[in-house]
Amino acid sequence: MPLNLFIIGPSGCGKSTQAKLIAQKYNLTHLSMGQLLRDEIAAKSGFGDEAKSYLDGGKLVPDDLIFDILISKLNSLNNQNFIIDGFPRVLNQGKYIEYYLKKINQPFSLLIHLSVTFEEINSRRSKKGDEFQDQDRTDNTPEAIKSRQQFYDDAIASIRDYFKSKKLFFDVDGNRPVEPIFEDICTKIDNIK
Ligand code: AMP
């Protein structure tokens, strides 16, 4: 059965780490919405120029732009199955991708939410110090981080309600080391296959 997965969680929660492990184990293409945006910015494309001020301010990039970038990437994959990290970040994005996948006869298999407290993220950040700053990231200023965190709780509540009612949502406790989190996610994935 083909598998298309999504993993979301607050910035700095470790979703990319989990997404890479999941992609490797289940042979999926790993896409990171944040990285796709940073690639566009680095390439100085029209999309990138439009997206840059939102990223730098810790604000969500408007849905239209997100869909353009993501859908053109998915088209280029020719139906390879995937895990996308950092998407959907608002309910509208979730409904859109659900509709899109239905249209191309592909399943929306599961949305994984890595639930990590902001205290845990801030403590990980301060422990890692400069190491945490990815070289190509310009949006880890305290203001951008704060803006992302404030927005987060509201958005996740509506995404959770919507996908939980369809049994497509999995909350996993992310305030733990990488391995037990990964194990819990795999158990869940193995149950839907
Ligand atoms: P991330 O690498 O997931 O932390 O994302 C970095 C930044 O990219 C976010 O703070 C947003 O500005 C933007 N971004 C990433 N994913 C999305 C999305 N699904 N919708 C809107 N903006 C996004």
Side-chain angles (χ1 to χ4, degrees):
M1 164 125 158
L3 206 51
N4 292 317
L5 304 170
F6 299 85
I7 184 165
I8 56 173
S11 202
C13 71
K15 59 187 182 298
S16 286
T17 304
Q18 293 294 334
K20 281 177 198 147
L21 292 169
I22 296 163
Q24 212 171 22
K25 171 157 179 172
Y26 294 95
N27 201 15
L28 304 172
T29 298
H30 170 218
L31 299 176
S32 152
M33 197 61 234
Q35 193 58 49
L36 289 177
L37 290 162
R38 288 188 286 277
D39 290 348
E40 293 288 339
I41 292 170
K44 298 197 186 304
S45 71
F47 286 154
D49 290 346
E50 248 187 277
K52 187 172 181 345
S53 63
Y54 295 97
L55 261 86
D56 286 350
K59 301 263 184 294
L60 289 184
V61 175
D63 288 350
D64 286 355
L65 192 52
I66 291 287
F67 298 149
D68 280 345
I69 294 172
L70 182 60
I71 299 303
S72 82
K73 184 71 190 178
L74 290 178
N75 283 339
S76 75
L77 292 180
N78 282 325
N79 286 338
Q80 282 168 48
N81 290 114
F82 58 76
I83 177 161
I84 305 180
D85 91 54
F87 181 96
R89 266 178 154 97
V90 290
L91 182 55
N92 186 44
Q93 294 180 0
K95 288 183 174 171
Y96 182 89
I97 197 73
E98 190 186 27
Y99 167 79
Y100 172 82
L101 289 172
K102 200 169 185 177
K103 213 172 59 178
I104 60 166
N105 266 321
Q106 283 278 326
F108 182 118
S109 308
L110 189 67
L111 171 52
I112 300 155
H113 175 230
L114 200 49
S115 187
V116 182
T117 61
F118 290 125
E119 290 74 25
E120 171 72 18
I121 291 172
N122 290 335
S123 122
R124 286 181 196 172
R125 254 183 229 284
S126 58
K127 273 187 209 137
K128 287 196 178 173
D130 287 344
E131 255 177 76
F132 194 84
Q133 282 281 20
D134 288 348
Q135 302 224 314
D136 63 345
R137 287 197 73 143
T138 52
D139 63 348
N140 272 337
T141 61
E143 294 73 26
I145 291 167
K146 194 152 173 245
S147 163
R148 286 199 295 262
Q149 292 183 347
Q150 278 168 347
F151 181 77
Y152 182 76
D153 287 335
D154 294 343
I156 206 68
S158 55
I159 294 175
R160 179 190 278 117
D161 286 350
Y162 181 81
F163 286 101
K164 232 180 185 151
S165 72
K166 300 182 170 223
K167 303 206 182 329
L168 294 172
F169 194 89
F170 179 56
D171 258 313
V172 60
D173 176 6
N175 301 292
R176 299 178 293 163
V178 172
E179 298 77 16
I181 299 173
F182 182 55
E183 267 175 42
D184 283 0
I185 294 174
C186 292
T187 304
K188 177 70 185 177
I189 293 173
D190 292 339
N191 277 327
I192 56 168
K193 281 177 87 184

